Amino acid sequence: DTGVSQDPRHKITKRGQNVTFRCDPISEHNRLYWYRQTLGQGPEFLTYFQNEAQLEKSRLLSDRFSAERPKGSFSTLEIQRTEQGDSAMYLCASSRLPGQGYEQYFGPGTRLTVT
Amino acid sequence: GENVEQHPSTLSVQEGDSAVIKCTYSDSASNYFPWYKQELGKRPQLIIDIRSNVGEKKDQRIAVTLNKTAKHFSLHITETQPEDSAVYFCAASGGALTFGSGTRLQVQP
């Protein structure tokens, strides 16, 4: 399967715990994006990378959230001191560089439940 | 930042009828406008997109139109089928995507 993959698919954690999610993009894609989606809403942008560089972070992104893409391939999203409001589907997407194609393809998501 | 508004929020049509979903955006710098279909519990799937240098694009039963002056774009689905039932999201981008709030389309057999 050469699509975007995410791990784990589901995560249940207690409030105050830290969680980390992984995303593996399509191999030839330079850009990697993180979005969050709550029930009944469209995906909401969190941050994105071009190769290793984090180019943009949403102003809505709490400082409890951090993302890395250390070798320009897979990425991790960490949430520290989770809160119940963090419960959502966390989606990863990848794309080529703008001059090569704008299409973003999504992974299956990681569903986080904070109890 | 970019703001995308989408309507209607729900749309019910009879099989074989056409469906139209409309979106407006605020940032004139946005230059890419994709549409995604999301079935319950699944990932958003790209169904069609349009660049700002094009006014209309068609792919079989699906078409998208873009009016840059008015900052609005629309999705048209003709000859709807029950399997078209899903939530549809529009988005606008100059980099990351800003999504609309979604339209739940129900096609009645």
Side-chain angles (χ1 to χ4, degrees):
Chain A
D1 185 355
T2 57
V4 179
S5 61
Q6 293 186 244
D7 184 70
R9 296 291 304 277
H10 304 273
K11 179 71 177 179
I12 299 174
T13 191
K14 293 186 177 179
R15 188 167 49 120
Q17 298 295 304
N18 299 344
V19 294
T20 301
F21 311 141
R22 175 178 171 129
C23 171
D24 287 87
I26 294 171
S27 58
E28 61 266 31
H29 284 187
N30 299 91
R31 286 194 170 181
L32 186 151
Y33 307 80
W34 286 99
Y35 295 87
R36 175 172 61 191
Q37 185 176 29
T38 54
L39 198 61
Q41 300 297 315
E44 175 188 38
F45 168 69
L46 296 178
T47 188
Y48 87 93
F49 294 83
Q50 181 166 305
N51 301 318
E52 304 88 355
Q54 188 171 18
L55 293 191
E56 186 177 347
K57 286 172 39 173
S58 168
R59 285 169 289 176
L60 302 176
L61 197 63
S62 160
D63 58 8
R64 296 183 296 104
F65 287 68
S66 62
E68 294 183 339
R69 195 182 183 199
K71 296 182 180 178
S73 55
F74 72 92
S75 174
T76 58
L77 177 69
E78 181 183 17
I79 309 174
Q80 296 183 325
R81 305 181 303 281
T82 52
E83 302 173 356
Q84 288 189 321
D86 297 331
S87 295
M89 177 72 84
Y90 289 83
L91 292 163
C92 175
S94 69
S95 74
R96 297 178 188 276
L97 295 175
Q100 300 166 344
Y102 285 75
E103 300 86 352
Q104 290 187 26
Y105 296 97
F106 281 84
T110 295
R111 181 168 295 284
L112 173 66
T113 302
V114 182
T115 62
Chain B
E2 176 65 274
N3 181 52
V4 177
E5 296 193 356
Q6 180 173 348
H7 58 93
S9 56
T10 60
L11 181 58
S12 182
V13 299
Q14 290 294 124
E15 182 177 358
D17 287 350
S18 295
V20 180
I21 303 170
K22 298 183 178 182
C23 289
T24 61
Y25 63 99
S26 62
D27 188 350
S28 56
S30 289
N31 59 2
Y32 174 64
F33 307 91
W35 288 86
Y36 286 84
K37 175 183 180 182
Q38 189 173 31
E39 296 177 71
L40 189 63
K42 299 201 174 171
R43 73 187 78 187
Q45 286 193 306
L46 179 66
I47 57 171
I48 195 168
D49 57 10
I50 191 166
R51 295 276 310 277
S52 59
N53 58 350
V54 176
E56 183 172 358
K57 183 177 178 181
K58 188 173 182 180
D59 182 4
Q60 300 183 344
R61 297 186 296 109
I62 295 173
V64 58
T65 59
L66 171 65
N67 183 326
K68 279 192 65 178
T69 303
K71 295 201 192 78
H72 65 71
F73 56 114
S74 300
L75 178 71
H76 305 251
I77 306 174
T78 59
E79 301 171 22
T80 53
Q81 301 167 2
E83 52 265 38
D84 294 330
S85 297
V87 179
Y88 291 80
F89 292 100
C90 63
S93 172
L97 294 173
T98 300
F99 283 83
S101 54
T103 296
R104 180 173 300 279
L105 174 64
Q106 189 161 16
V107 180
Q108 307 284 356

